């Protein structure tokens, strides 16, 4: 079909589409209503499931925040000067990747790249989607690579990174490859659906996105994590028995606590829980075992057991699935607008040249939802902190552990409020120390 005929077809559909009662306006309304209903459902789930208050107010009121969190002036200075170098770098990198995504998604440049990379393979739509996503992901990565390298230089200078440049490059390549591969798969399914079910594709795609979030979260520990780290069972000994006993007391017995070889990359201290059901695991960085005394390691693991007890990974996964479905329905609504598609040079959602526009809308959606995700996360983390205090009854070890983490990880104990509101996934160290003091004053059993 010639370009002119496609254009006439698109124009005719648009004219019809804007008349009430036509198939396009019906599909547009259905997608919008679905997006709104799923969005409201997400807000309700968040409102009901987020632990907004984790501790009652102690007699005499909550402990006022000490912005130093008890760190020395030198320690606070060091963390602040580190942040003063990295925060602008992150913001510039974010702005740059959005600007590049906007240029690619809102001009014909992106669709030209999509067609060009697929041309040597015959130019079919499958190649356009797969290689197009790959090419755009590589472009996005290369644009911000100098900033990422600079951030790594800063982390080296402050002794936080132990990673050589070979491993850094390998990490960048592997994470870009995994991201691009997953995105390419998702968009391939999306375009395929849009070609098969021109009016209801977004509904199937929304279901698929929700399923992908659930399956992805389940498989993450066994498929993605091993691409970066090795995991060994914590060596037998008193600490290991104590931790397994702690899990038993928590009512969530675990077979094992895993230790990751994080020290290949960093001196940072951390632990986390990932997966759910049969893939659930508690992982402690080897740096924690090397650097912290046993009572503080128990405090860290007790926090992770708090996540296990409250099934936080599953809750987060279900919220993510609902959010993804709402986002895809909103995408379905936005892509009914001909002028928007034509900016990107795509005739319909089933046209592979839609890829750069979809990537831009995904980037905007992800960024816009970040403060909400972090708001929920901070409350879930605070609940796990209270759980750790309840389980260990050792606020001194908890506070010492929080200070140790802040000092070693160079976390600003009291970052600017706007930064914390947007990017803070955990309460600040100042807040976590104050929480432990509230817990002590409440004299919980
Ligand atoms: Zn946590």
């Amino acid at each position: 079909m010639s370009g002119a005929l496609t254009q006439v077809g698109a124009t005719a559909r648009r004219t019809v589409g804007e008349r009430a009662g036509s198939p396009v306006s019906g599909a547009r309304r259905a997608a919008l209503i679905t997006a709104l209903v799923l969005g409201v459902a997400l807000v309700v789930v968040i409102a009901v499931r987020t632990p907004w208050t984790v501790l009652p107010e102690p007699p005499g009121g909550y402990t006022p925040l000490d912005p130093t969190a008890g760190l020395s002036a030198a320690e606070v200075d060091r963390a602040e000067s580190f942040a003063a170098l990295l925060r602008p770098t992150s913001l510039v990198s974010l702005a740059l990747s959005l600007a590049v995504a906007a240029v690619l998604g809102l001009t014909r440049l992106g669709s030209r790249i999509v067609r060009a990379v697929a041309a040597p393979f015959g130019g079919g739509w499958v190649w356009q989607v797969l290689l197009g996503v790959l090419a755009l992901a590589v472009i996005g990565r290369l644009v911000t690579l100098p900033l990422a390298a600079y951030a790594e230089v800063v982390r080296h200078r402050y002794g936080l990174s132990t990673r050589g440049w070979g491993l850094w490059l390998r990490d960048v390549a592997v994470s870009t490859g995994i991201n691009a591969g997953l995105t390419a798969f998702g968009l391939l399914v999306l375009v395929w659906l849009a070609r098969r079910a021109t009016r209801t594709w977004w509904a199937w795609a929304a279901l698929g996105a929700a399923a992908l979030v659930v399956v992805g979260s389940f498989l993450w520990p066994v498929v993605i994590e091993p691409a970066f780290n090795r995991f060994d069972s914590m060596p037998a000994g008193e600490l290991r028995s104590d931790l397994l006993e702690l899990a038993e007391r928590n009512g969530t017995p675990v077979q094992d606590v895993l230790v990751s070889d994080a020290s290949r990359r960093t001196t940072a201290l951390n632990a986390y829980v990932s997966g759910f059901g049969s893939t659930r695991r508690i992982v402690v960085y080897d740096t924690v075992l090397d650097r912290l005394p046993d009572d503080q390691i128990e405090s860290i693991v007790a926090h992770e057991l708090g996540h296990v007890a409250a099934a936080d990974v599953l809750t987060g996964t279900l919220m993510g699935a609902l959010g993804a479905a709402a986002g895809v329905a909103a995408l379905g609504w936005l892509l009914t607008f001909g002028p928007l598609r034509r900016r990107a040079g795509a005739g319909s959602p089933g046209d592979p040249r839609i890829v750069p526009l979809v990537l831009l809308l995904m980037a905007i959606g992800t960024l816009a939802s970040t403060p909400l995700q972090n708001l929920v996360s901070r409350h879930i983390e605070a609940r796990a902190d209270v759980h750790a205090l309840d389980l260990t009854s050792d606020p001194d070890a908890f506070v010492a552990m929080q200070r140790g983490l802040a000092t070693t990880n160079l976390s600003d104990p009291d970052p600017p409020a706007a930064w914390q509101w947007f990017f803070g996934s955990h309460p600040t160290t100042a807040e976590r120390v104050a929480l432990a003091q509230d817990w002590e004053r409440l004299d919980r059993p």
Side-chain angles (χ1 to χ4, degrees):
M1 197 193 288
S2 79
L5 271 177
T6 317
Q7 203 52 46
V8 168
T11 310
R13 269 202 304 282
R14 188 189 66 211
T15 313
V16 171
E18 278 157 10
R19 205 184 301 140
S22 75
V24 171
S25 83
R28 175 181 295 175
R29 204 178 318 115
L32 178 60
I33 290 171
T34 306
L36 290 176
V37 167
L38 290 173
V40 169
L42 179 61
V43 169
V44 170
V45 169
I46 286 174
V48 171
R49 296 287 300 165
T50 304
W52 299 107
T53 309
V54 293
L55 265 188
E57 190 170 343
Y62 288 112
T63 308
L65 288 192
D66 169 5
T68 70
L71 303 188
S72 73
E75 286 166 339
V76 174
D77 276 355
R78 194 169 146 76
E80 279 179 352
S81 64
F82 179 70
L85 292 171
L86 282 195
R87 276 190 205 122
T89 313
S90 313
L91 288 180
V92 172
S93 174
L94 192 57
L96 197 58
S97 36
L98 269 186
V100 169
V103 168
L104 295 170
L106 296 177
T107 70
R108 302 287 171 108
L109 182 61
S111 60
R112 278 200 211 108
I113 293 173
V114 166
R115 298 187 81 158
V117 290
F121 299 88
W125 72 269
V126 172
W127 285 115
Q128 287 191 48
V129 174
L130 288 181
L131 298 179
V133 170
L134 197 65
L136 298 177
V138 169
I139 289 170
R141 183 65 274 193
L142 287 178
V143 167
T144 55
L145 199 62
L147 289 163
Y150 170 71
E152 183 71 2
V153 168
V154 172
R155 286 190 292 264
H156 268 290
R157 202 189 298 158
Y158 278 79
L160 193 59
S161 176
T162 55
R163 180 163 62 168
W165 288 103
L167 182 56
W168 179 79
L169 266 179
R170 180 251 176 221
D171 283 350
V172 168
V174 171
S175 61
T176 307
I178 289 174
N179 276 332
L182 288 173
T183 311
F185 170 73
L187 288 202
L188 192 66
V189 173
L190 187 134
V191 172
W192 175 72
L193 285 167
R195 296 171 80 85
R196 301 214 20 144
T198 48
R199 284 173 51 210
T200 56
W201 64 268
W202 52 270
W204 302 109
L207 274 176
L212 202 63
V213 169
V214 175
V215 172
S217 175
F218 179 77
L219 290 180
W220 192 266
V222 281
V223 176
I224 307 295
E225 286 176 12
F228 297 93
N229 283 102
R230 251 190 58 191
F231 299 91
D232 294 307
S233 295
M234 184 176 280
E238 198 184 321
L239 178 63
R240 180 191 163 87
S241 332
D242 284 352
L243 294 178
L244 295 185
E245 195 260 330
L246 196 68
E248 195 84 39
R249 211 149 34 86
N250 191 49
T252 53
V254 294
Q255 263 93 58
D256 207 358
V257 174
L258 297 178
V259 180
S260 75
D261 59 345
S263 57
R264 286 175 65 208
R265 295 185 172 81
T266 181
T267 56
L269 307 172
N270 204 1
Y272 64 90
V273 46
S274 61
F276 55 86
S278 59
T279 65
R280 189 186 73 203
R281 47 178 27 197
I282 293 177
V283 177
V284 179
Y285 280 20
D286 56 357
T287 47
V288 167
L289 296 193
D290 295 342
R291 299 278 300 273
L292 292 189
D294 284 6
D295 59 343
Q296 295 185 31
I297 299 174
E298 283 182 34
S299 211
I300 289 193
V301 170
H303 168 101
E304 302 311 328
L305 288 170
H307 287 312
V308 173
D312 288 337
V313 175
L314 188 59
T315 306
T317 301
L318 294 179
M319 285 178 185
L322 205 48
V328 171
L331 182 72
W333 173 65
L334 285 169
L335 293 186
T336 57
F337 291 95
L340 184 63
R341 293 197 308 265
R342 276 191 294 281
R343 282 200 74 92
S348 71
D351 180 340
R353 288 172 295 178
I354 202 83
V355 162
L357 178 60
V358 173
L359 293 181
L360 168 65
L361 294 173
M362 278 169 60
I364 293 173
T366 306
L367 185 66
S369 65
T370 299
L372 182 63
Q373 288 186 43
N374 283 332
L375 173 74
V376 174
S377 172
R378 286 192 298 271
H379 284 90
I380 284 177
E381 294 298 338
R383 174 170 61 190
D385 280 350
V386 171
H387 191 94
L389 290 162
D390 285 342
L391 193 60
T392 59
S393 298
D394 192 351
D396 292 344
F398 179 90
V399 167
M401 177 268 285
Q402 291 298 345
R403 288 180 182 146
L405 256 65
T407 311
T408 312
N409 300 355
L410 297 171
S411 329
D412 183 349
D414 187 38
W419 183 272
Q420 174 67 4
W421 172 76
F422 202 97
F423 295 107
S425 62
H426 288 61
T428 65
T429 306
E431 289 166 343
R432 300 177 90 166
V433 168
L435 179 89
Q437 289 162 351
D438 286 340
W439 183 91
E440 255 189 300
R441 287 167 53 213
L442 279 164
D443 202 15
R444 285 164 68 102

